Amino acid sequence: MTCWQLGNTTVRSALRIREGLIAYAESDLQGAIRGSEGDIAFRNLLGRAGLVSLGEDKTNSLGRKWRSAMGKLGFLYPEVHKNWGFSQDELGPLDYITPAGRALIRAKTMPAIYEVYLRSMAVPVQQTDSGGYFSALRWVLAVLFTVEEESSKGAYLSFHEMAAFVQTTNPMWDRREIAHYVISSREERKRAVSAKAFHASLLAEAEKRSGVKAATLKDYADENIRYLKATGLFEAAGHGIRLVEEKRFVARSLSDAIVLEDLSLKYLFAQLCRGADLPTDNYAVANGALDDVLETVRRMGLTFSLSGRELDTPAQINAVRYEIEELISQEKEIAYAARQEGEHEEIACYLELLSTGRKKGVLSDGRSISLPKEERPAYFEWALWRSILAIDGLQNHPYQVRRFKVDADFKPVCTAPGGGPDLVAEFADFVLAIEVTMSAGSRQEAMEGEPVRRHVADLAIEYDKPVMGLFVAVCVNLNTVETFRHGVWYTKDEQLLDLGIVPLELSQYRNFFIGLFENSTERAATVREMLEDCLRAKKGLSAPEWRCAIAEALG
């Protein structure tokens, strides 16, 4: 055993696989994504869905790697090899979407999505040196709980602990021995003069033990942590992970059942493709998990009544638990929103990375932040969302402002779906509809002109207070400026609406955002004043002239 890997380093964000599955299910490509033509067709499909960048895949490997990740998690029927002891027909048609994949597509809420990934990663498909099979997820939980018991420091693992000790071992090892390595390294780290040098030596030793290069161990650790978080059991702890407290009972139940015995591959892959049974499918365990989240609710000072709820089956109990988990998540998001005012420098740094195309930035306190290349569209919406939360004065909740999903760390899972603005921020005396795009050139107006106006018009009809639109792009095309300069829309009953939509380039928005925290205490009022100034300036001007007037209004 050298180093296990939950997914694929090319598909670093497991939660984005759902978007790829949805695009695949709506295409005519099922079962036809192999060979050179199939690889290209699948890559292009993923590109049109905004999941990969086209034009940078000379080996046509992107489609192949996405296919591999989907099959590895059981969302597509994987290829059955001749020495497995059963046929492809016995498992399912090659590269077609499995029942587990269909369940992921149907999942609409984050608790439901987490459960699908949890059922996938609970299946023991990683192989030990002895020929048995184990679940890497269950192994991580077993080590994590053992570390907690031995050290009394909480259920967490650092990035380097994952890289050097956990992912390079399996249940053939004594979990207490691995826990000892982790705890000892923490003590050594405290005594080390240089954390960087200490971590480098830790990885160098792990490279010798495992035969895997230190750089690869770091790549795998980053990927494995991301995939583990997709189960909903973990959240970020620095660059590592810690257990989500309200999921402790479920996590403990999973860690108590690490599968080591020789199970048939046919059984394992059948489980993988339909979704494994979970401890919470048992009535007693489901009740225990429900008690766990109810205790969290009480500890947070929230209320949730079970009165009148049917709790006769595990499915009914779990459905109620998911509602409570959503309530807990919303309360955590409110607290997250309250912190954004104090994190405006970090938000501005993300806006700068998105504007300039750079991958990494450094804050004044020395912290570095990075922007995943393939997730830039999602991070664009996310950074704008955070900026609105930082402005404060919102009348709607932070989870009502955004239309995209976020994970347990409030990082973006995907972009907002169509059918509405990306963000809707309601303030005391106006409503702001925000649309962002990575598109540029003449296609920008064709893609955004009609939907943006329609979305703002729909909100103008819905709200009694003034509605204004803000369109933000890395580079705003002049034809887009012209469309929003006119800014009109006819309703179904042919009523003419005069819409106020201001197009800004991201660099302009970033500078304005920074100025809000340097010069303004009434930030929401300043936002409205800026928008009104820009809209007043357009009267009698051409598109190029209005673009210049907007720049002047922003200072």
Side-chain angles (χ1 to χ4, degrees):
M1 184 68 191
T2 54
C3 183
W4 49 259
Q5 185 183 14
L6 281 167
N8 186 299
T9 51
T10 297
V11 192
R12 287 187 180 270
S13 177
L15 290 171
R16 301 192 79 211
I17 289 175
R18 180 175 179 269
E19 297 175 76
L21 278 176
I22 292 172
Y24 188 46
E26 294 172 350
S27 75
D28 58 358
L29 291 179
Q30 282 202 62
I33 55 173
R34 289 182 183 255
S36 179
E37 290 186 5
D39 289 340
I40 293 171
F42 193 33
R43 178 203 65 195
N44 290 343
L45 176 70
L46 295 169
R48 290 193 295 273
L51 296 170
V52 303
S53 298
L54 300 179
E56 301 179 5
D57 184 27
K58 295 179 181 178
T59 61
N60 300 325
S61 63
L62 283 174
R64 185 164 62 252
K65 291 177 179 178
W66 272 76
R67 184 194 72 214
S68 172
M70 290 174 173
K72 199 169 186 178
L73 292 173
F75 302 143
L76 299 183
Y77 286 109
E79 183 178 10
V80 175
H81 297 281
K82 292 181 179 179
N83 62 346
W84 283 9
F86 61 99
S87 68
Q88 188 76 52
D89 289 341
E90 290 178 274
L91 181 64
L94 181 62
D95 298 332
Y96 274 73
I97 298 175
T98 64
R102 294 288 177 188
L104 183 57
I105 291 172
R106 290 194 303 271
K108 304 299 182 186
T109 65
M110 286 311 299
I113 291 170
Y114 287 146
E115 182 185 303
V116 177
Y117 282 99
L118 185 59
R119 290 184 184 277
S120 168
M121 291 184 223
V123 181
V125 291
Q126 280 81 28
Q127 192 168 15
T128 67
D129 294 332
S130 65
Y133 294 90
F134 73 101
S135 160
L137 165 66
R138 295 174 189 259
W139 172 240
V140 170
L141 290 169
V143 172
L144 183 146
F145 280 121
T146 307
V147 170
E148 182 182 42
E149 291 162 6
E150 298 287 328
S151 67
S152 302
K153 293 294 184 180
Y156 77 95
L157 290 168
S158 74
F159 175 87
H160 289 92
E161 290 162 2
M162 172 66 73
F165 302 120
V166 183
Q167 68 183 10
T168 56
T169 57
N170 60 61
M172 292 297 292
W173 293 64
D174 184 337
R175 72 181 74 176
R176 295 195 179 280
E177 182 181 5
I178 305 307
H180 172 73
Y181 289 146
V182 169
I183 295 167
S184 296
S185 74
R186 291 178 182 178
E187 294 302 317
E188 291 175 27
R189 164 65 184 86
K190 291 178 184 177
R191 296 191 296 269
V193 176
S194 166
K196 185 176 181 180
F198 173 76
H199 290 147
S201 67
L202 207 64
L203 289 172
E205 291 172 9
E207 180 177 321
K208 290 178 183 178
R209 291 195 309 269
S210 66
V212 179
K213 290 185 180 297
T216 303
L217 289 174
K218 290 173 67 175
D219 280 345
Y220 281 11
D222 177 67
E223 171 207 329
N224 286 328
I225 285 172
R226 287 167 177 257
Y227 275 67
L228 288 166
K229 286 167 62 178
T231 65
L233 298 182
F234 303 94
E235 60 187 4
H239 293 298
I241 49 174
R242 65 171 169 244
L243 194 65
V244 174
E245 269 306 305
E246 59 268 23
K247 305 291 184 70
R248 178 175 285 271
F249 191 90
V250 175
R252 176 67 78 176
S253 300
L254 283 164
S255 71
D256 290 339
I258 302 175
V259 180
L260 274 173
E261 65 267 21
D262 292 330
L263 299 172
S264 74
L265 280 174
K266 180 180 177 181
Y267 171 80
L268 291 176
F269 277 95
Q271 263 206 329
L272 185 69
C273 293
R274 68 170 173 81
D277 295 333
L278 293 176
T280 48
D281 293 333
N282 172 276
Y283 183 84
V285 177
N287 259 325
L290 179 60
D291 289 340
D292 216 20
V293 295
L294 285 171
E295 175 57 33
T296 300
V297 164
R298 286 189 287 270
R299 191 171 61 250
M300 295 176 71
L302 305 175
T303 57
F304 187 92
S305 175
L306 296 179
S307 177
R309 305 304 297 265
E310 294 185 357
L311 300 171
D312 300 322
T313 68
Q316 291 171 336
I317 295 170
N318 290 331
V320 172
R321 175 166 59 87
Y322 294 153
E323 287 184 39
I324 300 172
E325 288 175 0
E326 192 73 22
L327 174 66
I328 292 169
S329 178
Q330 289 175 352
E331 190 66 17
K332 288 181 178 180
E333 188 166 338
I334 291 171
Y336 173 82
R339 297 195 298 270
Q340 297 313 295
E341 181 178 0
E343 297 181 5
H344 62 271
E345 183 197 356
E346 180 181 299
I347 297 167
C349 190
Y350 274 109
L351 294 173
E352 182 181 14
L353 296 184
L354 288 159
S355 176
T356 60
R358 293 193 295 111
K359 295 180 181 179
K360 293 184 179 181
V362 180
L363 304 179
S364 60
D365 60 5
R367 286 184 297 129
S368 63
I369 63 171
S370 60
L371 198 61
K373 180 181 177 181
E374 299 296 349
E375 299 174 49
R376 294 179 75 85
Y379 270 77
F380 196 168
E381 295 178 5
W382 174 77
L384 265 290
W385 173 61
R386 288 186 66 189
S387 74
I388 293 299
L389 300 182
I391 288 170
D392 206 6
L394 287 165
Q395 301 293 297
N396 53 346
H397 292 301
Y399 47 84
Q400 294 170 327
V401 175
R402 61 175 171 83
R403 294 185 63 249
F404 55 86
K405 291 182 174 63
V406 294
D407 63 18
D409 299 314
F410 306 107
K411 292 290 182 67
V413 171
C414 57
T415 56
D422 298 322
L423 305 169
V424 179
E426 181 180 355
F427 296 98
D429 56 354
F430 75 106
V431 175
L432 180 59
I434 301 176
E435 301 266 10
V436 310
T437 185
M438 298 295 293
S439 66
S442 60
R443 287 289 301 160
Q444 184 184 84
E445 194 281 330
M447 294 171 62
E448 305 291 345
E450 185 275 335
V452 171
R453 286 182 295 133
R454 172 163 44 85
H455 298 159
V456 174
D458 289 342
L459 290 175
I461 294 170
E462 177 184 348
Y463 283 92
D464 292 330
K465 58 183 71 173
V467 174
M468 286 181 277
L470 177 62
F471 177 82
V472 185
V474 175
C475 182
V476 180
N477 184 264
L478 192 58
N479 290 297
T480 307
V481 176
E482 176 68 4
T483 293
F484 296 146
R485 184 180 70 85
H486 291 288
V488 296
W489 185 264
Y490 281 96
T491 65
K492 291 180 180 179
D493 58 2
E494 299 186 357
Q495 177 188 358
L496 177 64
L497 298 179
D498 187 10
L499 307 176
I501 303 170
V502 176
L504 294 184
E505 298 201 341
L506 182 53
S507 59
Q508 293 177 311
Y509 179 81
R510 175 185 175 274
N511 292 337
F512 172 74
F513 175 75
I514 292 172
L516 283 175
F517 290 87
E518 293 177 345
N519 308 314
S520 176
T521 55
E522 298 294 329
R523 290 187 286 272
T526 304
V527 170
R528 177 171 181 170
E529 182 181 344
M530 178 272 289
L531 294 170
E532 290 176 339
D533 286 347
C534 291
L535 292 171
R536 276 194 297 269
K538 74 178 182 179
K539 295 180 180 178
L541 300 183
S542 66
E545 290 169 336
W546 187 36
R547 184 170 60 184
C548 292
I550 290 173
E552 291 176 6
L554 289 168

